[in-house]
């Protein structure tokens, strides 16, 4: 009591672009697989696909100066919001609704007045640069119709769609289920890597791992142990998974 070193803090981490990485692997999309292999910024790639030369100029400026302009940030943020709305075959209308209703960390809606026609152009430009996605969507639908279910490539978790065929959910199932398999493996690695003396509740009730939620892990530890926990967590949540040809970090 009273020793700051024994003050408890949370140590947590989530996976980088988990769903985008899984979808890139399932679709075999070269442009995203390459940027993940190189450790680059996938949202900058999306921004280049959407905005072309306009973003390239801002990107070149950032590379020269190390400073991000307001235009760079706005285009990258738009691209980041956009890509998660179309990854599962979402229409331009779906993307437009999602983008215009997006609220930033200040509670503002920066894209509220964005025209639908502009989002249609974004989607067309994105598919020209990442055509593998459209082919993957079609292949997933064909696979479902042929076998009557969809299963992920990691654990084979299956969905039968007893309520009937749903295009977006057919595409979505493989990504969400495979993503779950990736995070479970990361969590198992984390559990196995904890030093033996750091077993659950070693420092009292509630210490050790608190939760594994979607793409994240969190533990509660004394401050003196936090740095080591961080290193262990980061190492265990960086992995490759058979069936998905992309690094997870």
């Amino acid at each position: 009591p009273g020793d700051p070193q024994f003050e408890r803090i949370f140590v947590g981490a989530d996976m980088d672009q988990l769903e985008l990485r899984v979808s890139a692997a399932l679709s075999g999309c070269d442009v995203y697989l390459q940027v993940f292999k190189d450790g680059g910024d996938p949202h900058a790639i999306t921004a280049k696909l959407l905005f072309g030369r306009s973003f390239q100029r801002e990107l070149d400026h950032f590379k020269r100066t190390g400073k991000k302009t307001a235009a760079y940030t706005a285009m990258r943020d738009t691209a980041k919001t956009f890509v998660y709305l179309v990854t599962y075959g979402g229409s331009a209308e779906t993307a437009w609704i999602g983008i215009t209703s997006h609220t930033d960390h200040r509670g503002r809606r920066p894209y509220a007045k964005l025209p639908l026609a502009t989002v249609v152009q974004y989607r067309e430009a994105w598919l020209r640069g990442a055509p593998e996605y459209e082919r993957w969507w079609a292949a997933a639908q064909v696979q479902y119709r042929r076998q009557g279910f969809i299963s992920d490539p990691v654990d084979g978790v299956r969905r039968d769609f007893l309520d009937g065929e749903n295009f977006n959910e057919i595409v979505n199932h493989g990504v969400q289920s495979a993503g779950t398999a990736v995070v479970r493996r990361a969590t198992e690695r984390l559990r196995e890597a904890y030093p033996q003396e750091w077993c659950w509740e070693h420092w009292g009730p509630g210490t050790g791992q608190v939760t594994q939620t979607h793409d994240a892990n969190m533990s509660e530890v004394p401050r003196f142990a936090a740095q080591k926990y961080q290193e262990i967590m980061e190492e265990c949540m960086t992995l490759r998974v058979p069936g998905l040809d992309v690094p997870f970090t």
Side-chain angles (χ1 to χ4, degrees):
D3 187 341
Q5 286 296 304
F6 284 88
E7 179 181 61
R8 293 182 186 177
I9 65 173
F10 289 121
V11 176
D14 63 2
M15 307 295 293
D16 295 322
Q17 306 100 18
L18 175 65
E19 293 170 7
L20 187 55
R21 289 174 190 255
V22 173
S23 70
L26 294 180
S27 65
C29 184
D30 289 337
V31 67
Y32 285 115
L33 291 176
Q34 188 62 50
V35 76
F36 289 132
K37 179 180 178 182
D38 296 342
D41 179 3
H43 301 309
I45 292 296
T46 304
K48 286 175 67 175
L49 297 179
L50 300 190
F51 302 108
R53 294 178 183 175
S54 296
F55 184 76
Q56 186 62 56
R57 285 194 294 268
E58 301 301 327
L59 182 60
D60 291 342
H61 177 270
F62 170 56
K63 289 178 178 177
R64 286 195 311 271
T65 67
K67 297 179 181 179
K68 298 177 181 178
T69 64
Y72 175 98
T73 300
M75 284 188 274
R76 185 185 179 280
D77 287 351
T78 301
K80 181 178 180 180
T81 302
F82 167 87
V83 77
Y84 288 114
L85 294 168
V86 298
T87 299
Y88 308 121
S91 66
E93 290 80 3
T94 298
W96 175 70
I97 292 169
I99 291 174
T100 54
S101 62
H102 172 72
T103 303
D104 65 17
H105 67 285
R106 296 180 180 178
R108 300 179 301 188
R109 293 171 58 193
Y111 316 116
K113 297 182 179 180
L114 190 69
L116 172 59
T118 301
V119 180
V120 170
Q121 293 173 357
Y122 287 168
R123 190 174 185 274
E124 291 173 349
W126 182 71
L127 285 173
R128 284 195 299 272
E132 297 93 341
Y133 271 88
E134 206 160 24
R135 294 196 289 267
W136 165 52
W137 300 336
Q141 197 166 30
V142 168
Q143 182 183 33
Y144 166 73
R145 291 174 178 174
R146 184 178 64 248
Q147 64 188 21
F149 63 90
I150 290 291
S151 58
D152 79 74
V154 181
D155 288 336
V157 173
R158 166 174 165 165
R159 181 173 174 183
D160 295 294
F161 296 92
L162 299 182
D163 292 332
E165 180 176 329
N166 182 306
F167 167 68
N168 297 112
E169 292 185 10
I170 285 171
V171 176
N172 181 282
H173 173 72
V175 177
Q176 295 299 325
S177 184
T180 298
V182 171
V183 180
R184 187 179 68 253
R185 281 163 171 73
T187 305
E188 289 169 350
R189 283 162 52 90
L190 184 60
R191 177 67 183 264
E192 292 168 359
Y194 281 128
Q196 187 62 40
E197 66 271 19
W198 288 8
C199 59
W200 284 189
E201 302 197 342
H202 176 69
W203 295 291
T207 57
Q209 186 165 9
V210 175
T211 183
Q212 185 275 301
T213 307
H214 186 51
D215 65 346
N217 276 288
M218 181 176 289
S219 296
E220 182 177 335
V221 300
R223 185 174 295 277
F224 74 83
Q227 181 63 42
K228 183 63 176 178
Y229 250 70
Q230 176 182 324
E231 294 169 1
I232 292 173
M233 187 172 286
E234 204 167 299
E235 179 181 351
C236 292
M237 294 180 70
T238 299
L239 71 161
R240 281 188 172 270
V241 174
L244 296 171
D245 187 22
V246 64
F248 292 96
T249 59

